[in-house]
Amino acid sequence: MSIATTSLITLIQVRVLLTAATAPVFLSTLDDGTVVRSLEGIPSEGPVLYVGNHMLFGLELRPAAIHFLKERNILLRGLAHPVMFTKKIGSKLPDMQMFDSARIIGAVPVSNMNFYKLLRSKAHVVLYPGGVREALHRKGEEYKLFWPEHSEFVRIASKFGARIIPFGAVGEDDLCQMVLDYNDQMKIPFLKNLIEEITHDTIKLRNDEEGELRNQDLHMPGFIPKIPGRYYVYFGKPIETKGREKELHDKEKAHEVYLEVKSEVERCMTYLKTKRETDPYRNILPRLLYYLSHGFSSQVPTFDLPNH
């Protein structure tokens, strides 16, 4: 067995253990608005476009992809930064093996062409409008969205009649604490030079944006892991675009839906941040005691849902 294969297996095992330790909660919304603790509200047939927020390093994506496969036999296709797929010779970018698991679970480089191809093939596609700026955020920005003012994803989704499902993810603040962010590192000369060199070696995205939204500098935030808390992902009610291609071809109409999606993502995050306060299994000790009593393959309970 090669070193690369061994490393990948070890990485997968670590993530499986982390998923078991955090016992993530996945919620979805039925057609009548009922919130359920399952993926019952997720459509079986594509194309479906999931649009949500990034936690630090995209912590939520891999466990979600595994859960979709396990519960619904659905392969999520994430649109990921090109840095996960290409590397210049001599570049100080991370080794490609670091992103093996993301590629294995179906991630592809973000581009309009790949977006079209996935929706045309009726895939289940995950899109993060916040991109790198959101996944590599600063201190105190755990649940702040960094979305561009305008996005084409609504109009493109309508061309294929894709359902858009907004979702929110929270829990990063229970998993780790950031101690050295981008602003801190840019004050340290050798780290500043490294960030600039690495960023120069990557494909540039969002060149048409200004200010903070344009800043997609690659760096490795310094953080301290916490005793594993719990994280939560809440999929809101699907927004239909089928039969609305003519309507949503209009930029203003498409932008209204874009703002609706963004507002729903924020609502999902707010809901989770509030409800997790009542989760008796938010801390690891109660979860471990539950596992010991009911078996490690059991589903650990969470907060009560309003319709239960």
Side-chain angles (χ1 to χ4, degrees), residues 10 12 26 36 43 53 55 65 67 73 97 102 144 163 173 223 230 232 241 252-253 256 258 268-271 275 305:
T10 301
I12 292 173
F26 294 95
V36 294
N53 69 294
M55 291 201 294
H67 194 74
N73 196 30
Q97 292 179 18
K144 182 177 180 181
R163 290 170 176 166
D173 49 343
F223 66 94
R230 198 172 200 185
Y232 310 78
T241 69
E252 290 188 3
K253 292 291 184 182
E256 289 176 6
Y258 174 68
C268 289
M269 287 192 292
T270 299
Y271 174 87
K275 293 294 290 183
L305 297 177

Side-chain angles (χ1 to χ4, degrees), residues 58-286:
L59 289 170
E60 72 295 326
L61 180 57
R62 290 173 181 84
I66 293 170
H67 194 74
F68 265 70
L69 276 173
K70 181 179 178 181
E71 184 180 331
R72 296 293 306 275
N73 196 30
I74 290 173
L75 177 65
L76 291 182
R77 306 298 304 275
L79 291 166
H81 195 284
V83 72
M84 295 185 178
F85 303 88
T86 58
K87 178 183 177 180
K88 293 181 181 178
I89 297 176
S91 171
K92 293 182 180 179
L93 285 166
D95 194 283
M96 292 296 97
Q97 292 179 18
M98 179 177 177
F99 308 111
D100 282 349
S101 61
R103 296 194 296 271
I104 287 172
I105 62 175
V108 298
V110 60
S111 70
N112 285 338
M113 180 62 70
N114 283 337
F115 193 25
Y116 269 89
K117 287 180 178 179
L118 289 174
L119 292 179
R120 186 173 58 196
S121 66
K122 299 184 178 181
H124 289 246
V125 186
V126 184
L127 176 68
Y128 293 98
V132 169
R133 180 61 182 85
E134 202 168 274
L136 303 180
H137 52 252
R138 322 303 187 229
K139 295 174 184 174
E141 295 178 347
E142 291 88 354
Y143 305 117
K144 182 177 180 181
L145 300 183
F146 289 91
W147 290 20
E149 286 300 313
H150 305 284
S151 177
E152 287 294 300
F153 75 75
V154 174
R155 293 207 295 172
I156 296 174
S158 70
K159 291 181 183 294
F160 300 94
R163 290 170 176 166
I164 301 175
I165 301 184
F167 70 90
V170 306
E172 172 193 329
D173 49 343
D174 278 352
L175 298 174
C176 61
Q177 178 182 348
M178 191 179 299
V179 294
L180 194 68
D181 66 7
Y182 173 81
N183 295 329
D184 296 325
Q185 293 182 34
M186 290 299 282
K187 296 175 184 176
I188 303 173
F190 84 90
L191 288 179
K192 180 177 183 291
N193 292 336
L194 178 62
I195 290 171
E196 291 175 348
E197 182 178 345
I198 289 175
T199 301
H200 181 267
D201 287 341
T202 63
I203 296 174
K204 303 298 185 297
L205 303 174
R206 289 190 173 178
N207 290 324
D208 56 341
E209 298 293 337
E210 300 292 337
E212 278 293 290
L213 293 177
R214 187 187 177 105
N215 185 359
Q216 300 280 303
D217 288 0
L218 297 181
H219 64 289
M220 180 62 70
F223 66 94
I224 299 174
K226 292 183 178 180
I227 295 174
R230 198 172 200 185
Y231 73 89
Y232 310 78
V233 183
Y234 173 21
F235 296 92
K237 189 174 181 179
I239 298 172
E240 297 287 349
T241 69
K242 190 174 183 178
R244 302 175 64 187
E245 181 179 354
K246 186 175 181 180
E247 171 194 354
L248 296 180
H249 181 71
D250 179 81
K251 286 189 176 181
E252 290 188 3
K253 292 291 184 182
H255 191 60
E256 289 176 6
V257 174
Y258 174 68
L259 294 178
E260 179 185 352
V261 173
K262 185 178 181 181
S263 177
E264 181 66 4
V265 170
E266 291 174 329
R267 186 192 71 81
C268 289
M269 287 192 292
T270 299
Y271 174 87
L272 292 174
K273 285 190 287 184
T274 300
K275 293 294 290 183
R276 69 176 177 171
E277 297 295 333
T278 66
D279 184 358
Y281 296 95
R282 181 177 173 184
N283 296 320
I284 191 169
L285 183 57

